[in-house]
């Protein structure tokens, strides 16, 4: 059962529709067991927490909740091993070839390095290069999913394979 903790008045009918649409999106990607939480007023746009297998999405996210959902889904798919190593290598190579660690992806104004330079792990360390690549792949996937980024080559095939794998 999805949960919501909206801090502003969102009609229940709209929340129900969002849960349905977002839930169907997660189901198509093989994330049927992933709990979905919708909220407002959060500091970030979304988060994936692997321990309870939960994706939380801010409905008032600056870049849009559907983009946040797809971004966090990539983290879940990666954590669960649902993206093959071969495909992951192709995706990270695409990020590298496009220079997407150092320049904005899709509608973002800052590069991955700029955006995540402010993010530290609980132990105070900065994100690893591997984690930065995962963020870039998640951004690429999300921007493509909502139509803000047209990526050519092999990427649309991988995107569709991942998105529709469990249909």
């Amino acid at each position: 059962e999805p949960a919501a903790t909206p801090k502003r008045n969102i009609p229940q009918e709209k929340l129900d529709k969002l849960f349905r649409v977002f839930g169907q999106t997660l189901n198509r990607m093989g994330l049927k067991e992933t709990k979905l939480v919708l909220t407002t007023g959060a500091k970030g746009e979304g988060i994936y927490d692997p321990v309870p297998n939960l994706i939380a999405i801010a409905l008032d996210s600056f870049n849009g909740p559907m983009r946040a959902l797809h971004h966090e889904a990539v983290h879940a798919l990666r954590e669960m091993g649902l993206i093959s190593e071969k495909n992951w290598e192709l995706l990270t190579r695409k990020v590298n070839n496009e220079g997407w660690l150092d320049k904005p992806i899709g509608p973002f104004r800052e590069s991955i390095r700029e955006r995540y330079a402010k993010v530290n792990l609980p132990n105070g360390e900065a994100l690893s290069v591997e984690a930065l690549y995962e963020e870039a792949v998640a951004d690429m996937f999300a921007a493509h999913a909502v139509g803000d980024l047209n990526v050519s080559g092999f990427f649309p095939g991988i995107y569709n394979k991942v998105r529709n794998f469990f249909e």
Side-chain angles (χ1 to χ4, degrees):
E1 182 70 20
T5 56
K7 294 182 180 176
R8 62 182 180 171
N9 192 12
I10 298 174
Q12 188 62 45
E13 182 179 298
K14 184 173 183 178
L15 278 175
D16 291 345
K17 182 177 181 180
L18 287 169
F19 276 124
R20 193 170 47 257
V21 171
F22 284 20
Q24 289 168 349
T25 300
L26 291 176
N27 288 347
R28 273 196 307 275
M29 289 189 270
L31 300 173
K32 291 179 184 181
E33 302 300 318
T34 302
K35 183 177 180 185
L36 176 63
V37 175
L38 301 180
T39 188
T40 59
K43 289 182 183 178
E45 299 201 13
I47 189 167
Y48 169 66
D49 190 342
V51 176
N53 190 21
L54 176 140
I55 290 177
I57 301 299
L59 294 175
D60 53 357
S61 73
F62 182 74
N63 291 297
M66 187 57 85
R67 178 189 324 282
L69 180 72
H70 280 86
H71 177 102
E72 298 308 329
V74 169
H75 295 305
L77 291 165
R78 178 81 171 134
E79 175 73 23
M80 294 177 188
L82 297 175
I83 300 175
S84 73
E85 284 304 315
K86 178 183 174 189
N87 284 341
W88 191 253
E89 184 180 317
L90 289 170
L91 291 167
T92 57
R93 190 177 317 147
K94 180 71 171 175
V95 166
N96 194 52
N97 291 344
E98 297 291 336
W100 281 333
L101 290 184
D102 298 305
K103 68 180 185 181
I105 300 171
F108 294 106
R109 294 185 183 132
E110 296 178 299
S111 72
I112 291 294
R113 286 191 204 277
E114 291 167 328
R115 284 183 19 233
Y116 289 94
K118 307 166 208 148
V119 175
N120 288 323
L121 300 172
N123 63 6
E125 292 181 17
L127 292 180
S128 67
V129 172
E130 182 178 318
L132 293 175
Y133 271 96
E134 185 169 323
E135 294 298 338
V137 169
D139 276 2
M140 178 174 59
F141 192 90
H144 181 78
V146 299
D148 287 339
L149 181 66
N150 185 9
V151 184
S152 60
F154 67 88
F155 179 76
I158 292 176
Y159 170 82
N160 290 327
K161 182 177 178 182
V162 169
R163 187 161 187 255
N164 301 318
F165 183 75
F166 293 91
E167 284 189 332

